[in-house]
Structure formats: C-alpha cells, structure tokens
Amino acid sequence: MIAYILRRIISVAPIALGVLLVTFLLFRVIGGNPAYRIAGKNATPAKIAQISHARGYDLPYFLNFEKFPQQLFHAQFPRLARNILRGDFGESLTSKMRVSQLLRDGVLPSLCVTTPLFFIELILAVALALLAAYYRDTWIDRSLVVLAVMAMSISSLVYIMVAQYWLASEWRLFPVWGFEGPQYLILPVLIGTVAGTGGTLRFYRTVMLDEMYQDYVRTARAKGVSPAKILFSHVLRNALIPILTNVIVALPFLYTGSLLLESFFGIPGLGRLLVSAISNGDEDVIFAETFIGAVLFVLANTLTDIAYTWADPRIRIK
Amino acid sequence: MNDASTNRPESLWAIAWQQLRRKQIAMICLAILVAYAGIWLYAEGNFWSAKLRGVTPNYRISNYAIRNQPPSATHWLGTNYAGRDNVSQIVQGTRIAFEIALLTSCIVIPIGFALGALAGFFGRKIDTGIVYLYSVVGSVPGILLITAISYVVRGAVERSPAMQTVTRYADSGLLAVCIGMGFTGWVGLCRLIRAEYLKHRERQYVLAARAIGVRPAAIMFRHIAPNVAHLIIINFSLSFPGLILTEAVLSYLGVGIANEPSWGAIINDAKQRLWLGNWWELAGATAAMFFLVLALNLFGDALRDALDPKLRTAETKTA
Amino acid sequence: MSVLRWLTIAVMAATFAGASASGAQLRDNTLYSVGADFKGFDPADSGDTVSAAMISRVYEGLLEYAYLDHPYRAEPRLAEALPEVSADGLTYTFHLKKGVHFSDDLCFPSGKGREVTAEDFVYSFTRILNPKLESTGDWIFINHVAGAKEWVQAGNLTVKIPGFVAVDRYTLQIKLRQPYPQLIWVLTMPYAFVVPHEAIEYYGREFRRHPVGTGPYVLKDWRFNYRVEFVKNPTFSGQTYPATGELDDRAAGLLEDAGKPLPLLDRIVDYEISEFYTVWQMFLGGQLASTGISKDYFEKVINPQFELSDALQKRGVRLYKTPNMDLWYIAFNMKDPTIGDSTDPAVAAKHRKLRQAFASAIDVPTYCTVIHNNRDTPANTILPPGVAGYTTKPYAYQFDRQRAKKLIAEAGYPNGKDATGHPLRLTMISAGAGSTDARQQAEFFAEQLRAIGVDLVVQQLSFAEYLRREHDGEAQIVYAGWIIDYPDGQNFMQLLYGPNKAPGVNFCNYQNPEFDRLYEKVLTMQDCPERSALYAQMSDIAIADCPWALMTYSLSYGLFQPWFQNYKPHAFPYPNAKFYKVKPH
C-alpha cells in the first residue's frame, strides 16, 4: 500500500513537468520575447538585447548544443523548470514583485470566497439530492432536476451582471464592489451558489439513484426497513465515496479562486491576479499559477484514487 | 420500427428512439432543438448569400439614426449601439453557437476517438503515452489553456498568408476559439473511448476476429467502432451547452469572436447599457442562450439514458 | 504616452480622484478615488499614468508644473529656483531647498528622515540609467546627458556619470552633450524624482512596496490589485496653495485656499477597479466623488448641447471637459510591400496613393459623433491644439469617398480589387481585446473601408501583445495613440524621425531626409516662433507623405460630486491631489 502511494505521488512529477512545458510552449515559444514589454515605449534595439540577455530570453528554448556538453541545459525551459522546482517562481513582469509574494497575498481573499461557497454548495446539493432521491419519480424530484438544469443553463456572466446591477446597485442590498468585510462576500457567494449548485445536485442525485437500485437496498426494503432509514443509513453512507471523490477533486479550485466573481467584485484573490496576468501577458505569474493549480489537481486526483483503494477493498491495486 | 427483416435484432438506435419517444420532456426538447436548427440554417443562408455576392449582410448594416432603441413593432428587441436590429443579431448568434459546436466537434471527435481507441486497443506503451498526454492537458486549468491557445491561434491565422483564403470566409476569432476549445475538449471523450475499447478488447467477437487474422486497424475501426459510436453522440450533445457557455466567458476575457455577433459579445455589449434600463438586449441574448442550453442539457440526459446500457439496466430493475 | 483609449478612462478617474459619500469617512477628510493596474512605487518604472499619479503622492523632483497656470510652465519644487543655464545651453545649475527631509522610515539609522542633498539627485538620476534596473525612463537622459551613453555601454557601475555633478551639499549640475531644451520638462516627470539610497539598500526588492519620499503623503497600506491608502506626511512642509492663477480661477473658486499649507486632504484611498461599469455604479451610489464617462454612458449623462443631464445637475454634479493633448492615428508600415515606401519612385507613388485613399475613406467626423459620442474632435495636424506649432490648417485627406475611390483606382486597385479580382486585403492591429469600445471601433473602420471595396481585417490584441507587435515593426497597419509627455512638439515629431525606427518609437519606419534634417535642427532650439514654424513645416511634410492617417484629438470628460473642490483639469495632473479638497456635506 505504501509503495503504491509513493508510486502514485512520484507519478505527479512528469505530469507537472508536462503542464509546465505546455504553458511554456504557448506563452514563450509562440507568444514571443517578453523583453519588448519590459523595455517600454521608448525602447531601443540595444536595450531590448540587453534585457533579453540579462533575463535569458536569448538562450535556446530547450537544449543548448553550442555549450555541449557542460552546459547542455543552459536553456530557457530547463532554467524555468529548475527554478520552479526550487520554489522560485520569479517576478511579475509588470509589477516587478516576487510571484511568491503575490500568491501569498492572493490566497486568503480567494479562500474567503471559495470556502463558504464550497460548503454551502455541498450541503445544499447533498440535501436536495437526498430529497430528490427520496421522492424519486414524483413531481418533487422532476422539478428539482429541471430547476437544476435551468440554473445550469444561464451564463454565469449574466448572473453576475444582473445581481450586481439590481441587487447591489439599484436596491442597495449589498456593496457593489470591494473586499472590506464579511458583507462584501455575501453577494459573490450567493451568485456562486446559484450558478454552481445545479450541476452538483444533478451529479449527487444520479449517484444516490444508482445506490437506490443496488441489491442491498432491495434487501433492506424487503426486511421492512423504513424508507427514511434506508436513505440515510444505507444509501447516504454508500454514496459517500463518490461524493467524497467529487469533493476532493474540487479542492484545488478553492485555491485557484473564481476568475469571474473575483474580477467583477474586486476581490484581490488569485483569480483576479490570473485575469490581469493574462491580459498583461505577465508570464511568470501565469507559469506559477498554472503549475501550482495543476500539481494540486493531480495530487487531488491521486488522493481520491488512494482513498478509493483504501475505502473499498474490492478495488485491486495494479 | 417494424422492419421487414424481422429476424435481425433491433439496433441500439432503434431501441433508443423508442425509449426517447416515450419521454415527453425529451420530445419537447427535440422540438426546440429542431426549431433552433431551423433558425441556424436560415442564418447561414442569410450570411452566405451575402458573402458569396460580396455584399454586406443586412444584419451588419448599421443605421446610426436609430441607435439603442427600445423594443418596438419593427424591432422586437430594440436596436444596438450601431442601430442594428437586436433580433437579427441574436439570430446570427445562433449561427455562431452552432458553428462553434460543430467546428469544435470536428477537432474533438477525431482526436478523442483516435487517441482513445489507440490507447484502449493497443495498451502498453501507446496507452501510457496517451494517458500521460491527456493527464497533462486535463490538468491545465481549462479556461487558461483555451485562452492561451486562442490568442496564439488567432495571431498565427491572421499573420499567415496561407490562411488568407480561409479567413475570407470564416472569422479568425471563431476559428481560434474553436481550436482552443477543441484542443482542450478531447480529453473527456478520449477517456470514455479508451475505457470502452479496454472492455471490448477482451470480448468474444474481437478475440474471434483476431484469431482469424483480421488486421488490428480493421478490428479497431470496423468491428469495435460501431459499438462505441453512441458515446460520441452522447458526448457531443452533453458538451454542446458547455461550449456555448464557455464562449460567453471567453468574450468577457477578450478572446471571443471579434467581428460577428456571438451571444457572448452581445451580452458583454449589453452590460454597458444595463444601467440605462436597457435590459432587452441582455434579456434577448440570455433567453436565446438559455433555451438552447436547457433543451440540449435535458435532451442530452434523455439520450444518454436511452443509449447507455448501464443506466438502462438500472431502470429495468424498477420496472 | 502611448496609452490607449480604454485606459484613459481609468486614468482620468485616477487623476481626478473622488470622495466618499459617508459622513463618517468625510469627517476625517478623506478622498476616495479609482485607478487600475498600479505597478508599484518605483519612480524608475512610472511609465503609465496610474503609477505616475501614485508615485507623485509620495515622491517629488526638482521641478513641477504650476498648478493653475496656462500655458504650462515649470516651477521649482525641491529646487530653490529655476536652474541657471550656461550661455551655451549645456550646463544647468540647480540650488536645492535647504531643510527638505525624506519621510521618517525604518530604513534610516535613527528612523528619522534624512535631509535631501545634491548627492541624492545624482544617485537617483544615475539609478534610472542603470541597465540592471530595466527602467522605462532612461530615455529622458541617456542620449542627452554628457557621458551617460558611454557609462551604460561600459557597464561599470562604480564610476560616476560625468554629466551629473553634486557641486556641494545643495548644488547640483547637469551637463549635457548638446542643448536639450526639453530637460526642464522631463525633470517634472516622476522618472526624475528623488529617492534615498538607504531605502533601496534596506528594502532591496521590496522597495516598490515601501516608498520613502519627500512628498505630501506617505503610504499607509497597499493591497496589491485592490487598494492603496495614503495619509498626510507629517514632515511635509514648505508648499502652500498658489495665490494666483488664470483670469477665471478666482470666480471658479479655485483660489479660496490661497496660501494654505498643502496637502489639504488628510487621507487618500485609491481602489483598483478595472470595470467602468462598476465605477459608474459606485459614483451614482456616492461611494466615489468623481469619475470619467465612458462612451455608452455619455448619452444619458450629457445632453445634446454637451451639458450635464438634468438628473445629474440636480444633484449638483459638475462636468469638466479638457483636451487631452494627444493624437490618435492609423500608422502605415513604410516597410510593407503593399502599402509602404519603395526605392522605385513609380511604385512608391502608387503606394502613397493607396495610403491617401485609406485616409480619405474614413469618415472621421461621423466616427467622432457616433463611435465616440463627440468625446473627440477630428485631427488636422501632427500636433494637437495647445502645443506650439499647431495650426488650424485643414487636414489634406478629409473624408471624401469619391476621392478615395479615385485614389485607390490610381493606386492600381480599381474598386478595391487586386490583380486576382479579390478585394484588397489589409490588416490592422489595435489594442483593447475584449473591450466593447475597441470592437465597435474596429467594426467602424472595416465598414468604412468596405465602402471603397477594401477588405480591412482588424486584429484586436491584448495590450502586451499589441506593444510587442507595434515595436517589432512588422505589423502592416497600426491603430495607435500618443498622449503627450511634455508640452513640446518634439515629443510627437520623434515618432516620425527616421533613426527612431522600429523597435524604436517610429514603428511605422517612416524616413524622409528633409524631415529628419529639420528634426535635428529643432532638437536643440529653445521655444520660439521660428521653432513653431518649423514644427508646422514638418507636420506638412509628414502629411504629404501620409505615413499616418490622422484620426482624432480626444477630450476628457469628468464628473464631480459637488463637495469635491479645487479641481482644475491639467494635462499632467500627477501630483495634483495635494491641492484637492473635500467639503463636509
């Protein structure tokens, strides 16, 4: 078991490296030399060359054959990978601040929105899914499903615009923008819940219905166990594994934050940071956020696999 | 359904259709989808007839004298900033939505299917390689990858002389968005197909075909493929709504369609005038988007229930 | 500054500043304002207007613009008086004010701010030339100050630049390679502000977050990408509100505070809001006391007579209009094989006709009224009004579709069709991907060109990508803008000077020997009618060659709540927050 866990954790590394390679290809190789951006509007060719040299943008992308063999890895990508593995995420091209500092500053605001959102959504979705499963194939179940699908069918942009305009600006129920206190979080969390619960609810309902048709449920029903008891002590318990899986896989998104909610409501989190990094072509920030996001995502997936194996002995370890 | 060749077992599709027909919601959704498809074809006709004649299509002709008008008998949803009728903009938005879905699928389906089939059928190193590839693509935050690819593709398309003819007929932003979504979207389909091929690889009919020396390519495509083809349909109908919603977000991030009235672009325009009480533009585009996405979601669900044997067995148990 | 239209809104808001509606916040005399994309407190990196405004709250330089005076003039700030200039125009001598201290900060051994000396200026000026710093402001000195270029090339940072000399504790000399009349102006720019070496040594990389200056405010709190808060610098002294201004200023109430010590506000809070939609809602809700006006809001805010709509007038909201002293233009790449210059005179003439056809095809007056809701006026010369050298001579390629059709036929594209019978395809880049304004603008240009049969493709790029494409000199056509850096026509003419070609500022690669000769001539001339005439002549040369299609000069519209006082529009408003006042209401 421990060997398996170790093997799985080691397998995260090549994937993380692959993710870094993809981002590097997209932004540096095709996106071009960032020295133009740094040099500013009065740039001279000499200045661009100087900046390229100082920052290593003039090196080969992958392998440096001119310096073979001693400095074969004296090239852009190996340098980037080495720095990131060392935990050195470089500095922002626009604000010249350490990326690690920007990430540290952004985590808390992001978590302030995503954590309550996550728990409210989870509790609401599970509760409604239980309700739907209990009243399956009645109008309650059907209208819950249709409502969930309807909520999923509206663009989150529209939710945000409408809520920000009417609820905050017109009716003054909430602050329009800012991150000054808990009341500033209510509207983003509310919008996130409305926009996100539908999909989760639908998923959990399917999971629970799948369990409802299992043999053990039939047996329990045959033995005269009350429907409520079946639902809570049998079905819910068995549905916990897929629910838990879903929860763990969602955890990395707590960290990355919400792009749209943060940029509309002025929450200085990692989502807002990423949106402005994309529009400013701020590479090091993009590299760092993508890399960390991907590593967390892969780790979470690995964790679910491990949890599965541990929780369900029927799943064999290959 | 009562075909003359009665001793042939009914096909999966026929059974599925019978199932679907019994579901009222599914049929309503299908009717809505047919209506949208009609609007789409009309919009295509409108667009291409103008394009081929080399004139400006009527939905793009601006009339600055009647800008930002409220709804009226001539303009049911008012006019936009350039005095163009909002209804015609939304109709063209339908065309864009369908074009996005189809073009993206043209990328997703071949890649997802081919890679999934190869990985599942051959296993070993090929499998490891493909699984690695999709783990990597699947681990990059989706919207970031789409944004990056779209930026890059749009730049490349617009700069390359070879693409000049293509961009005469198709919006480069549209191509970029589709390629961006295509190259990120194949992962889900690839996973599904791979899993199916893994299963089918061990089935009797495949082993039999192998024993009589059928070439692997023929087994993969002629023998197994028809048995997993329904997954493509399910995947398409369930990912279509996602593509439409993603396009709206991409428009907000500035990588959406540049020169055509996509729903995302209309919504982002409408935002500017919301405070003037000009809600009809937003409402119109949102409604158009809502009904299509809703119908697709519900119909996709029904289709999956009808086509996916696993869920169907679950249902027969209750019967 | 080549900052783009959508940024101007944010910029205006940032410089106009705002105030809060809530009484509690007003009792402590606070101003609430808006900015976006603030990059940090390093004067060496103050190229964008938002950073320039923020940095100017904390740091100061030798000179600044007189707040109320027009035409603009520089007045001493940390200098005792305007510099003594040697007869050959090559040596400027500044006497510093005595007793000016940096604000108290941990970086000083005692925690108490040290007195500013001439050495600090030598240090600060040398600093922005240091290649390691990658400052965007090195251009203000590098080609002008004696020994600066050589110092940068040699790369030995321990030696001194011969052009910056601290004669004694309070006397600073700047020695030039050749006369540089713009020196007075560039010394008002944040690039030339004074920083204490202690802060840079103490904070290192973190210097950008810990500004230590002599200015009217000190930084209290900065949350990146969200808000910046300043409080009055307790050790700031020696500046009072101006006692004289222009004729109308007294009537406008701008002289009520004459003689009062600055700054008038105790606290300033800047929020980083990028969506105008949000800014506007906060303004209406009274959370901000000033805002710019974006295009789509214009119609309801401003009535057809360009006055404020009744609803806002009733609330006492005031409207300010100011020309921005900028130029928006479409630049043609002169190296491009289709539209550029050529060594073959016949080909060159045809291509010039094509450029002229392009310029005459665009209905700029309609563009101003419809696309920009009259926030712009059509441009007629390379220099905007207000800059010496501007003339009212009509533009040579005013909108005339028939003429455009004729020109394009003469250029070899009858009805806009090329040799293959397809419409001629041209590609233009513009910034502002994702902005509604930029998209509508692009559609307008494409529509105008379609009317003469040309297929114009407009690529809307992110600002970063746009800068790169602009400077790599490969883009065929560029929609560009230039906001003035200092009130001197040279600032615009450099954009067309041959040796400045891409990746320099002349990214359209225009080259005309006569133009270059005149440019080199005016470069060393002080402001005089003769120089203005030369600017006008240069403008005519460039218009005849048509490397640019001139579009517009823009106007800023700003709205102010009634309690926001002492505001006067200024083209270089960065340090002006110290003059503003909020009245209790």
Side-chain angles (χ1 to χ4, degrees):
Chain A
M1 186 74 193
I2 291 170
Y4 169 75
I5 294 174
L6 274 180
R7 210 165 52 230
R8 287 303 312 259
I9 288 177
I10 290 168
S11 72
V12 172
I15 293 182
L17 212 61
V19 168
L20 197 60
L21 181 68
V22 170
T23 2
F24 175 80
L25 280 173
L26 284 171
F27 283 91
R28 182 76 54 82
V29 179
I30 313 180
N33 185 346
Y36 288 96
R37 262 165 275 169
I38 301 163
K41 57 163 191 159
N42 281 293
T44 56
K47 188 167 182 189
I48 286 165
Q50 190 268 322
I51 292 174
S52 302
H53 186 72
R55 292 176 169 244
Y57 299 144
D58 57 348
L59 294 174
Y61 288 129
F62 299 105
L63 294 173
N64 196 339
F65 291 108
E66 282 173 28
K67 299 263 178 80
F68 185 80
Q70 296 89 350
Q71 292 194 306
L72 182 64
F73 295 109
H74 186 62
Q76 294 190 37
F77 183 69
R79 271 171 54 144
L80 174 72
R82 206 156 42 216
N83 285 341
I84 284 198
L85 290 181
R86 271 201 219 119
D88 172 6
F89 294 112
E91 61 171 40
S92 155
L93 293 185
T94 50
S95 72
K96 304 257 175 80
M97 274 191 275
R98 301 299 298 163
V99 174
S100 45
Q101 178 72 43
L102 295 178
L103 296 179
R104 265 202 302 279
D105 290 351
V107 170
L108 196 67
S110 279
L111 287 179
C112 283
V113 179
T114 48
T115 318
L117 181 55
F118 176 79
F119 282 109
I120 294 174
E121 201 183 298
L122 178 69
I123 291 167
L124 203 64
V126 169
L128 290 177
L130 279 172
L131 196 70
Y134 188 78
Y135 292 106
R136 65 185 174 283
D137 290 329
T138 66
W139 64 271
I140 296 182
D141 176 29
R142 275 194 212 106
S143 42
L144 271 175
V145 171
V146 171
L147 268 177
V149 178
M150 278 165 76
M152 287 163 64
S153 305
I154 295 176
S155 169
S156 42
L157 275 177
V158 175
Y159 281 120
I160 295 176
M161 284 175 204
V162 168
Q164 200 182 31
Y165 178 62
W166 271 285
L167 299 185
S169 183
E170 286 287 284
W171 300 342
R172 306 279 170 90
L173 298 175
F174 306 98
V176 175
W177 185 97
F179 185 65
E180 306 280 291
Q183 75 274 27
Y184 286 78
L185 298 174
I186 300 174
L187 193 56
V189 169
L190 190 73
I191 294 170
T193 312
V194 173
T197 308
T200 331
L201 161 63
R202 205 159 68 130
F203 174 75
Y204 291 155
R205 175 184 165 273
T206 321
V207 165
M208 286 179 196
L209 285 184
D210 274 356
E211 290 299 326
M212 298 290 267
Y213 299 124
Q214 298 292 331
D215 288 343
Y216 70 88
V217 175
R218 245 188 324 174
T219 318
R221 205 179 291 150
K223 278 164 68 183
V225 183
S226 76
K229 190 154 190 246
I230 292 178
L231 194 65
F232 286 102
S233 68
H234 294 85
V235 173
L236 184 59
R237 191 183 293 168
N238 281 288
L240 267 180
I241 294 178
I243 291 176
L244 211 65
T245 317
N246 198 41
V247 165
I248 295 175
V249 175
L251 284 178
F253 298 103
L254 292 186
Y255 172 79
T256 51
S258 159
L259 300 186
L260 293 183
L261 287 176
E262 288 184 13
S263 38
F264 270 91
F265 288 101
I267 292 151
L270 296 174
R272 197 170 138 97
L273 184 68
L274 189 60
V275 170
S276 67
I278 291 174
S279 60
N280 292 325
D282 199 344
E283 284 186 356
D284 282 6
V285 175
I286 296 173
F287 289 151
E289 283 212 43
T290 321
F291 183 79
I292 296 176
V295 167
L296 289 176
F297 180 79
V298 181
L299 275 179
N301 268 315
T302 310
L303 199 65
T304 14
D305 286 357
I306 294 170
Y308 251 120
T309 339
W310 178 69
D312 190 345
R314 282 173 304 180
I315 299 170
R316 268 181 306 142
I317 303 166
K318 274 195 196 154
Chain B
M1 295 299 107
N2 296 322
D3 205 80
S5 52
T6 41
N7 48 357
R8 252 187 85 183
E10 276 187 282
S11 76
L12 179 72
W13 305 100
I15 300 172
W17 171 242
Q18 281 175 355
Q19 281 237 341
L20 273 179
R21 253 199 341 196
R22 265 185 268 133
K23 285 198 179 161
Q24 211 175 6
I25 291 186
M27 291 331 283
I28 295 172
C29 289
L30 187 63
I32 295 176
L33 291 180
V34 169
Y36 267 97
I39 295 173
W40 163 49
L41 290 175
Y42 162 76
E44 286 286 358
N46 189 338
F47 173 75
W48 283 106
S49 68
K51 193 107 217 175
L52 295 178
R53 278 182 292 132
V55 298
T56 311
N58 51 10
Y59 71 91
R60 291 197 63 173
I61 295 173
S62 36
N63 180 356
Y64 294 117
I66 49 159
R67 312 168 58 207
N68 299 325
Q69 302 258 311
S72 64
T74 39
H75 303 288
W76 294 349
L77 285 174
T79 56
N80 74 359
Y81 75 95
R84 298 170 191 152
D85 178 40
N86 278 330
V87 174
S88 67
Q89 304 298 300
I90 290 166
V91 165
Q92 287 298 322
T94 312
R95 173 176 68 84
I96 304 284
F98 275 81
E99 283 178 359
I100 289 177
L102 294 179
L103 275 176
T104 307
S105 301
C106 286
I107 300 168
V108 165
I109 292 172
I111 298 183
F113 186 84
L115 291 184
L118 285 173
F121 188 74
F122 289 108
R124 296 167 196 261
K125 278 193 182 146
I126 295 179
D127 187 40
T128 318
I130 290 172
V131 169
Y132 173 70
L133 192 67
Y134 76 56
S135 310
V136 167
V137 176
S139 305
V140 184
I143 204 86
L144 180 76
L145 194 58
I146 297 172
T147 312
I149 297 179
S150 309
Y151 260 137
V152 166
V153 169
R154 193 150 108 207
V157 164
E158 285 168 352
R159 264 177 286 179
S160 103
M163 297 299 282
Q164 292 290 298
T165 329
V166 176
T167 50
R168 234 180 254 288
Y169 299 104
D171 184 79
S172 55
L174 180 90
L175 287 181
V177 167
C178 291
I179 292 175
M181 294 201 286
F183 279 102
T184 47
W186 57 271
V187 174
L189 182 65
C190 182
R191 278 211 181 100
L192 272 176
I193 298 285
R194 172 177 169 271
E196 281 305 291
Y197 266 79
L198 275 175
K199 260 190 271 163
H200 281 268
R201 190 168 71 166
E202 311 295 333
R203 293 263 167 91
Q204 290 279 316
Y205 73 97
V206 176
L207 296 177
R210 265 200 185 145
I212 59 168
V214 182
R215 280 182 302 116
I219 300 179
M220 257 172 72
F221 292 110
R222 210 170 306 147
H223 296 237
I224 307 183
N227 293 319
V228 300
H230 66 283
L231 290 175
I232 296 176
I233 305 284
I234 296 174
N235 185 270
F236 173 74
S237 68
L238 287 178
S239 59
F240 193 159
L243 298 178
I244 298 172
L245 295 174
T246 309
E247 193 277 328
V249 176
L250 289 177
S251 277
Y252 171 73
L253 292 176
V255 285
I257 283 118
N259 304 313
E260 293 285 335
S262 77
W263 289 338
I266 297 174
I267 287 176
N268 277 299
D269 272 13
K271 169 182 75 179
Q272 307 276 345
R273 288 179 287 278
L274 200 57
W275 78 280
L276 298 177
N278 188 339
W279 51 269
W280 42 87
E281 206 174 340
L282 180 69
T286 306
M289 201 156 145
F290 172 75
F291 287 111
L292 178 59
V293 172
L294 183 69
L296 280 166
N297 267 327
L298 292 175
F299 184 74
D301 273 356
L303 196 67
R304 184 185 48 200
D305 293 349
L307 283 172
D308 193 314
K310 188 192 147 213
L311 280 179
R312 199 161 52 196
T313 45
E315 267 181 11
T316 43
K317 271 181 190 167
T318 42
Chain C
M1 286 182 200
S2 167
V3 186
L4 289 118
R5 177 167 307 285
W6 82 99
L7 265 182
T8 28
I9 295 161
V11 165
M12 273 168 47
T15 49
F16 287 162
S20 159
S22 104
Q25 284 166 319
L26 278 160
R27 243 167 270 132
D28 62 25
N29 193 13
T30 301
L31 189 99
Y32 290 85
S33 79
V34 185
D37 277 332
F38 172 49
K39 289 154 75 180
F41 291 97
D42 188 341
D45 193 10
S46 56
D48 61 293
T49 44
V50 173
S51 298
M54 301 282 188
I55 288 168
S56 304
R57 288 180 188 164
V58 181
Y59 289 103
E60 293 175 312
L62 291 166
L63 307 174
E64 72 178 15
Y65 290 97
Y67 179 43
L68 299 174
D69 294 4
H70 286 255
Y72 297 124
R73 78 180 163 84
E75 64 177 17
R77 175 75 278 274
L78 297 183
E80 196 65 59
L82 288 176
E84 296 151 15
V85 186
S86 65
D88 59 3
L90 294 180
T91 307
Y92 285 60
T93 308
F94 291 90
H95 298 286
L96 304 188
K97 278 189 185 137
K98 293 179 180 139
V100 176
H101 286 73
F102 288 112
S103 60
D104 297 344
D105 192 274
L106 287 175
C107 70
F108 300 111
S110 59
K112 285 274 167 209
R114 176 176 60 74
E115 191 181 20
V116 180
T117 68
E119 281 296 345
D120 288 315
F121 283 96
V122 173
Y123 174 82
S124 307
F125 294 168
T126 310
R127 182 171 175 268
I128 63 164
L129 287 167
N130 182 346
K132 281 209 182 109
L133 201 69
E134 296 169 353
S135 166
T136 50
D138 54 354
W139 60 272
I140 70 171
F141 294 135
I142 194 161
N143 292 323
H144 308 284
V145 170
K149 205 191 244 170
E150 294 74 11
W151 182 84
V152 171
Q153 275 158 2
N156 183 356
L157 305 181
T158 54
V159 297
K160 295 216 155 183
I161 297 175
F164 300 131
V165 185
V167 179
D168 61 39
R169 194 172 161 85
Y170 300 111
T171 311
L172 175 76
Q173 263 183 2
I174 300 177
K175 291 180 179 150
L176 301 172
R177 188 192 301 277
Q178 70 211 31
Y180 180 32
Q182 293 81 21
L183 182 68
I184 294 291
W185 301 125
V186 300
L187 288 177
T188 66
M189 296 182 76
Y191 289 128
F193 285 178
V194 63
V195 298
H197 64 89
E198 288 93 338
I200 290 153
E201 284 147 16
Y202 185 81
Y203 291 113
R205 286 180 171 284
E206 291 290 289
F207 171 65
R208 297 178 149 257
R209 295 164 79 95
H210 295 276
V212 183
T214 61
Y217 294 95
V218 289
L219 177 67
K220 178 149 185 259
D221 179 43
W222 176 23
R223 275 197 273 163
F224 184 72
N225 215 350
Y226 176 59
R227 67 174 240 164
V228 196
E229 181 179 348
F230 301 89
V231 291
K232 208 175 192 166
N233 176 3
T235 63
F236 180 80
S237 66
Q239 198 181 7
T240 52
Y241 196 91
T244 56
E246 284 186 291
L247 286 176
D248 305 344
D249 287 350
R250 187 166 300 277
L254 283 167
L255 290 171
E256 277 174 17
D257 292 302
K260 282 197 187 150
L262 298 178
L264 300 176
L265 293 160
D266 293 334
R267 192 165 150 262
I268 303 179
V269 177
D270 293 285
Y271 291 112
E272 295 205 31
I273 310 177
S274 41
E275 283 277 342
F276 183 75
Y277 168 73
T278 315
V279 174
W280 183 246
Q281 289 177 25
M282 288 173 78
F283 178 79
L284 290 182
Q287 282 165 280
L288 298 168
S290 80
T291 169
I293 312 170
S294 111
K295 185 173 105 49
D296 291 290
Y297 296 71
F298 202 85
E299 272 172 291
K300 278 287 161 95
V301 175
I302 311 291
N303 68 22
Q305 289 76 45
F306 296 101
E307 288 156 353
L308 218 49
S309 68
D310 292 346
L312 288 168
Q313 265 182 11
K314 255 179 227 150
R315 298 163 81 149
V317 171
R318 284 166 301 142
L319 168 75
Y320 281 93
K321 286 180 274 189
T322 355
N324 281 334
M325 295 179 96
D326 59 359
L327 172 69
W328 298 84
Y329 58 96
I330 290 172
F332 303 106
N333 188 347
M334 300 300 276
K335 279 199 321 201
D336 184 83
T338 314
I339 56 163
D341 208 354
S342 167
T343 46
D344 178 350
V347 175
K350 275 193 165 180
H351 289 181
R352 186 166 56 238
K353 287 215 162 107
L354 177 57
R355 296 194 296 273
Q356 291 168 343
F358 192 113
S360 338
I362 296 173
D363 184 355
V364 181
T366 303
Y367 175 72
C368 290
T369 50
V370 169
I371 301 294
H372 287 151
N373 280 319
N374 280 317
R375 292 172 312 157
D376 289 358
T377 48
N380 61 316
T381 77
I382 305 280
L383 300 179
V387 177
Y390 169 79
T391 58
T392 50
K393 194 173 179 175
Y395 185 43
Y397 314 112
Q398 280 179 4
F399 171 62
D400 182 343
R401 193 164 283 153
Q402 292 316 314
R403 184 170 168 222
K405 283 182 176 164
K406 193 167 144 273
L407 282 166
I408 201 161
E410 287 167 15
Y413 302 97
N415 296 320
K417 299 265 193 302
D418 63 14
T420 63
H422 281 298
L424 170 67
R425 162 74 71 101
L426 296 174
T427 311
M428 177 161 96
I429 62 167
S430 82
S435 116
T436 315
D437 282 10
R439 194 177 60 240
Q440 295 174 358
Q441 189 171 293
E443 275 188 28
F444 183 85
F445 289 140
E447 201 177 343
Q448 297 290 306
L449 269 291
R450 213 179 295 129
I452 62 162
V454 173
D455 181 14
L456 178 72
V457 179
V458 185
Q459 306 177 8
Q460 293 155 60
L461 309 171
S462 72
F463 191 52
E465 173 74 356
Y466 170 82
L467 268 188
R468 193 174 71 73
R469 295 279 304 277
E470 184 183 72
H471 281 283
D472 71 12
E474 300 297 327
Q476 189 177 38
I477 303 174
V478 179
Y479 178 76
W482 190 264
I483 302 175
I484 198 164
D485 285 320
Y486 42 77
D488 185 330
Q490 176 271 343
N491 194 233
F492 283 91
M493 295 303 171
Q494 60 160 344
L495 305 176
L496 290 165
Y497 177 52
N500 282 347
K501 64 175 190 286
V505 286
N506 177 8
F507 48 78
C508 67
N509 301 305
Y510 174 63
Q511 187 140 25
N512 179 319
E514 178 61 9
F515 185 94
D516 292 353
R517 194 183 61 78
L518 292 175
Y519 180 80
E520 281 150 22
K521 192 171 164 199
V522 293
L523 206 52
T524 56
M525 288 170 74
Q526 293 288 345
D527 186 14
C528 58
E530 195 194 347
R531 191 179 73 160
S532 304
L534 284 174
Y535 280 146
Q537 193 188 339
M538 290 167 76
S539 177
D540 289 345
I541 294 173
I543 286 172
D545 285 338
C546 201
W548 292 356
L550 302 186
M551 293 287 115
T552 55
Y553 308 126
S554 76
L555 293 169
S556 278
Y557 282 82
L559 293 182
F560 297 85
Q561 308 275 18
W563 60 83
F564 181 68
Q565 308 255 305
N566 285 356
Y567 174 79
K568 181 165 180 181
H570 199 288
F572 313 97
Y574 315 120
N576 291 354
K578 61 188 169 195
F579 300 105
Y580 302 158
K581 183 173 73 170
V582 288
K583 265 202 332 205
H585 58 279

